[in-house]
Amino acid sequence: MTKIPNVSYTQLVQSKLPAGGVTIFSVMSRLAEDVGAINLGQGFPDFNCSPQLIDAVERHMREGHNQYAPMLGVYALREALARKIELLYGRHYDPATEMCVTSGATEGLFSTLTALVRPGDEVVLFQPAYDSYAPAIQLSGGTPVYVTLRRPDYCIDWDEVRRAITPRTRVILVNTPHNPTGMVLDQNDIRELERVLEHTDAFVVSDEVYEHIVFDGGRHESMARHPTIAERAVVISSFGKTYHTTGWKIGYCVAPRPLAAEVARVHQWVTYAVNTPIQSAYAEMVARDPMCTEVTSFYQAKRDLFLRLLQGSRFRPIACRGTFFQVVDYSDITDEHDAEFAIRLTKEHGVAAIPISPFLSGVEPGPVLRFCFAKRDETLERAAERLRKV
Ligand code: PMP
């Protein structure tokens, strides 16, 4: 490009996401690395996935499954997912026409929102909100309309949802189990959502990446379970959380045929197809153990251990009913802003956490931080020893 005199690149480029900096997850992980802190910030395990899964990937690679997968995903994986979803949630999705394997849930969300949101549309979503939602909505010319989940239980105020709905509401975006709060939708929420949907044509986009991480015997209320919602919902999940493989970035969307077709049209031009040998390996894992109950009890034990370890500290845990995140109230320690305190905690006490403010728009965060407990027991023990001294 020839340099145009007196015009800066910022003026030339006119960013489509002018408010966006680097995601908080990268910022805190980088800081943790720089100062050698224990990283309870970004949500990823510090232990390995199962050797059988790695063996299966290797076997598929050696058997030559190394070229483009079908655009919608390896068929054996889609079939296994269809059986799993039917077994767990009672709804049949046709593997040929109602599913799409994506580059992580992130691409699933992006392709879905790109398919559905048109300029001028509104998307009702709940904050604190996972930070990929708003940019995906805005890039399609849509407007995020936030309903705030409030401490201490972060439950949805359905009257506020009703007030947020307008004739321009195109999508209601839900996330259960909820990152970062650990809130889980229950059957009452489902009834409320069903009532809300009676008065709008909006679609539902449901981020269920933590579907297998629900505690204390609770039930995951997948939108796939509830026919009136499922008929207009795109349900999105990810293998990263369930199989301790966040770095492999494979997820999927399921939806009734006309909706799934629109998602696939976008997916086709975003990535076309996803990593073949890993999909084939996941197909075996899903078929072998569709219920994934082990991961539920595994993380229940981690959450319970982390809560026990926090006893005697001045961090007050807020009830966590799902996900691998524990939100804590630090008001007994300091009145610092959450981002400031997260940085100081990392530098001075050697434990990285994620502040909640980057998940919020236009409201004060309050004195809370998010810790990730998807870590080895000894990591949690070492971190908690430091936290008890704060
Ligand atoms: N949604 C939520 C709520 C998440 O926490 C994450 C991962 N941190 C994602 C979506 C993205 O999942 P993936 O890594 O499969 O893209």
Side-chain angles (χ1 to χ4, degrees), residues 309-327:
L309 290 167
L310 282 180
Q311 281 170 14
S313 80
R314 290 191 290 162
F315 292 97
R316 272 182 285 125
I318 285 175
C320 159
R321 294 188 285 135
T323 73
F324 44 53
F325 302 115
Q326 177 63 59
V327 172

Side-chain angles (χ1 to χ4, degrees), residues 104-106 109 130 133 175 179 207 209-210 238 241 249:
T106 308
L109 284 156
Y130 184 62
Y133 302 154
N175 168 216
N179 177 10
D207 178 347
V209 301
Y210 300 100
S238 170
K241 320 292 170 177
K249 293 294 293 184

Side-chain angles (χ1 to χ4, degrees), residues 25 42-44 102-109 129-133 174-180 207-210 236-241 245-252 323-325 359 370:
F25 306 114
Q42 196 171 7
F44 60 82
T102 54
S103 289
T106 308
E107 193 248 315
L109 284 156
Y130 184 62
D131 66 350
S132 83
Y133 302 154
V174 294
N175 168 216
T176 183
H178 183 258
N179 177 10
D207 178 347
E208 304 184 9
V209 301
Y210 300 100
I236 298 167
S237 193
S238 170
F239 298 100
K241 320 292 170 177
T245 48
T246 61
W248 291 1
K249 293 294 293 184
I250 302 188
Y252 58 92
T323 73
F324 44 53
F325 302 115
F359 297 77
R370 188 199 82 175

